[in-house]
Amino acid sequence: MTTTALTHINQLVTNDPSLGEGPLGLIQDAAVVIDGDRIAWVGASSKAPATDNAVDAGGRAAIPGFVDSHSHLVFGGDRTQEFNARMSGRAYSAGGIRTTVAATRAATDAQLSANVAHYMAEALRQGTTTFETKSGYGLTVDDEARALRIAATHTDEVTYLGAHIVSPDYADDPAAYVDLVTGPMLDACAPHARWIDVFCEKGAFDGDQARAVLAAGKQRGLLPRIHANQLSYGPGVQLGVELDAASADHCTYLTDADIDALANSATVATLLPGAEFSTRAVWPDARRILDAGATVALSTDCNPGSSFTSSMPFCIALAVRDMKMTPDEALWAATAGGAQALRRTDVGRIAPGARADLALLDAPSHVHLAYRPGVPLVTDVWHKGVRV
């Protein structure tokens, strides 16, 4: 393996307070040494050890690769017309998912895999080096299993979401669909996934149904996460905390009890501002969640219906502007926060032993991600030690 030094970094975000200033572990005029696929050393540029190769960052900022812990990339079709109608005044509802279900079932394996590869490459160019993605647009045993097989060829962070909505095939018998999700469908899908998820919401699955789905997944060795409290107040967050879910995602409608539960648990509140932007919905109150001491992650929720963006920088800008997060908090949530939402310690930071995932910005500071919204600031990306 060869070693590479990135030198003359104006501001390095390590996300390790033991290495630098503040919660972000900031180091000024810094250097990073990459050895194979790992970070070997960080510190002042003037003290960088000799390496096989050197890259002059030219005074740019360096940040950890983004960790996008919530996306829905195995899908077919397009929902442009739905978006256009919604922007003309029609409210989003969970029923829109059925359009994508039909298109996904009709797509070939090759088409679905190419779609995943396309959007993951798009995200990588914008600095995302760790990506979770879900099933949930097949809703039959065979279609959910193939979605997970396809996803697993692109990422290790694969989530079984057979309980996205009640399948149209079971519209008159939701209980039978829950039995399918927790029985034959789970049997077919568990070997291909790390996580299990459920959309706990009016119009999708209630608290008892969600509990049954997550409990069955846990019995099969899958780790729980939950779509919770997106469209209304409900039991999702409390259920996620009770079952030690890695994350409760959306968290738009929270009671004081919900926030207390998050703050006193290991469950991360994953906020998805792209969904609020794309549906003109109420913004999650990130300030309230953070001030209570809960851990917050940011993610794209990239999907064809309610948040068709793969851009973590865009989500950072939204979180700062409309969810009252500071630029430091938003960057941490999009990197280290996402890592915690995936229960990973090897990504989301630039520190010795971590995976060598980082991005250089065409800016002197990470604050420019919010300060210059919409500008493609990511100029170089290293993923597993390889400059991509």
Side-chain angles (χ1 to χ4, degrees):
M1 293 188 293
T2 59
T3 56
T4 300
L6 281 64
T7 61
H8 302 113
I9 298 167
N10 184 68
Q11 182 192 72
L12 172 65
V13 176
T14 69
N15 282 340
D16 187 335
S18 72
L19 296 174
E21 178 185 352
L24 295 185
L26 297 175
I27 304 175
Q28 309 298 327
D29 191 13
V32 174
V33 172
I34 297 170
D35 187 352
D37 66 350
R38 297 284 148 177
I39 302 294
W41 181 91
V42 299
S45 190
S46 61
K47 299 179 180 178
T51 55
D52 300 313
N53 303 304
V55 175
D56 190 332
R60 290 176 286 174
I63 62 172
F66 297 121
V67 180
D68 192 345
S69 61
H70 183 127
S71 77
H72 305 251
L73 296 186
V74 188
F75 68 86
D78 178 270
R79 282 159 68 181
T80 303
Q81 292 180 344
E82 177 187 320
F83 175 80
N84 192 27
R86 187 164 61 242
M87 292 300 102
S88 301
R90 189 180 308 164
Y92 169 73
S93 70
I97 295 169
R98 292 175 177 83
T99 304
T100 301
V101 169
T104 303
R105 290 177 178 180
T108 67
D109 288 11
Q111 288 170 329
L112 293 177
S113 185
N115 215 35
V116 176
H118 172 77
Y119 292 112
M120 289 189 72
E122 182 179 272
L124 182 63
R125 291 193 298 271
Q126 299 174 86
T128 298
T129 51
T130 302
F131 222 117
E132 179 272 356
T133 201
K134 310 175 192 295
S135 65
Y137 292 128
L139 309 186
T140 68
V141 171
D142 290 343
D143 283 307
E144 285 295 293
R146 78 160 176 152
L148 294 172
R149 286 196 303 270
I150 289 167
T153 66
H154 298 278
T155 179
D156 295 333
E157 299 295 348
V158 178
T159 301
Y160 166 45
L161 183 59
H164 199 181
I165 59 168
V166 174
S167 169
D169 307 321
Y170 288 81
D172 296 326
D173 195 354
Y177 185 65
V178 172
D179 289 342
L180 181 71
V181 168
T182 58
M185 190 182 287
L186 177 60
D187 291 339
C189 290
H192 309 292
R194 182 183 180 207
W195 304 96
I196 186 166
D197 198 345
V198 59
F199 188 10
C200 184
E201 186 60 71
K202 294 176 182 176
F205 298 89
D206 65 24
D208 290 339
Q209 293 168 329
R211 181 190 301 279
V213 169
L214 295 183
K218 288 185 74 172
Q219 289 177 354
R220 290 298 304 271
L222 300 182
L223 304 173
R225 45 200 327 109
I226 188 167
H227 283 59
N229 303 53
Q230 177 186 5
L231 307 175
S232 61
Y233 294 102
V237 165
Q238 300 272 3
L239 177 61
V241 170
E242 177 190 333
L243 297 179
D244 190 31
S247 66
D249 297 15
H250 287 291
C251 293
T252 306
Y253 292 89
L254 299 181
T255 65
D256 289 345
D258 292 332
I259 290 180
D260 288 344
L262 287 167
N264 290 286
S265 75
T267 299
V268 174
T270 299
L271 308 183
L272 309 169
E276 280 71 40
F277 177 87
S278 298
T279 61
R280 290 179 175 160
V282 174
W283 296 100
D285 192 344
R287 184 78 269 134
R288 181 178 169 218
I289 301 169
L290 287 163
D291 288 349
T295 301
V296 168
L298 287 176
S299 185
T300 63
D301 192 19
C302 187
N303 75 83
S306 61
S307 183
F308 205 4
T309 180
S310 60
S311 175
M312 290 290 277
F314 175 65
C315 291
I316 286 173
L318 291 180
V320 172
R321 168 61 179 81
D322 291 303
M323 287 162 42
K324 299 182 176 63
M325 296 179 76
T326 69
D328 285 12
E329 289 168 340
L331 179 64
W332 190 95
T335 51
Q340 287 199 26
L342 294 175
R343 297 201 165 157
R344 297 276 294 269
T345 59
D346 60 328
V347 297
R349 60 194 182 96
I350 301 176
R355 199 170 76 183
D357 293 349
L358 66 150
L360 290 181
L361 306 180
D362 186 17
S365 164
H366 69 279
V367 176
H368 282 235
L369 291 166
Y371 181 42
R372 304 196 67 207
V375 178
L377 294 179
V378 174
T379 60
D380 296 270
V381 179
W382 277 261
H383 182 217
K384 299 180 181 178
V386 177
R387 191 176 189 178
V388 295

